[in-house]
Amino acid sequence: QVQLVESGGGLVQAGGSLRLSCAASERPFSRYFMAWFHQALGKEREMVANINWSGSSTYYADSVKGRFTISRDNAKNTVYLQMNSLKPEDTAVYYCAAHASGSLSRPSSYDYWGQGTQVTVSS
């Protein structure tokens, strides 16, 4: 059982930055492909970014490409999401997740989830 704990959310003005962290309980953390999802009020959960085991390969949703950066530190069992140039439409609860099997973009492919952290971007 992997426990994931997110932190770093909050309220920020448009154009600002936040850095989310997700700490995992299990070693070796490096065996998990990790992702960040977000879920806005009344909408489905969507993948924002994912990162492979070593951190050498990343993928971003078009809506965040060029503004967000996903990274990981396997020695610290932590994955990060640096969010720059934030927009009001980025407002959502952000979740980190550990991949089990199947499509990397589908929430159902992820076995373990954090509790979520709220990000609110004011205009």
Side-chain angles (χ1 to χ4, degrees):
Q1 185 78 10
V2 179
Q3 292 184 329
L4 302 173
V5 179
E6 300 100 337
S7 61
L11 173 64
V12 64
Q13 288 189 332
S17 298
L18 284 173
R19 189 194 196 200
L20 306 183
S21 299
C22 172
S25 63
E26 182 167 306
R27 295 180 183 271
F29 171 68
S30 59
R31 70 183 177 126
Y32 289 102
F33 207 110
M34 300 294 295
W36 286 95
F37 286 76
H38 69 189
Q39 186 167 19
L41 196 62
K43 295 188 177 181
E44 293 186 351
R45 193 169 296 190
E46 297 178 328
M47 192 192 69
V48 173
N50 63 50
I51 187 166
N52 72 344
W53 305 273
S54 66
S56 61
S57 177
T58 58
Y59 175 85
Y60 298 92
D62 287 343
S63 60
V64 306
K65 203 171 292 182
R67 299 188 297 122
F68 290 10
T69 302
I70 188 171
S71 61
R72 67 191 297 163
D73 184 338
N74 289 336
K76 295 183 178 179
N77 275 23
T78 302
V79 62
Y80 304 96
L81 185 67
Q82 177 66 43
M83 304 186 295
N84 298 330
S85 302
L86 282 161
K87 304 175 181 180
E89 51 263 44
D90 295 319
T91 296
V93 178
Y94 283 73
Y95 300 88
C96 69
H99 183 255
S101 62
S103 170
L104 291 169
S105 64
R106 290 181 179 272
S108 59
S109 299
Y110 292 77
D111 264 355
Y112 304 107
W113 293 84
Q115 82 287 354
T117 186
Q118 176 71 46
V119 171
T120 303
V121 184
S122 63
S123 57

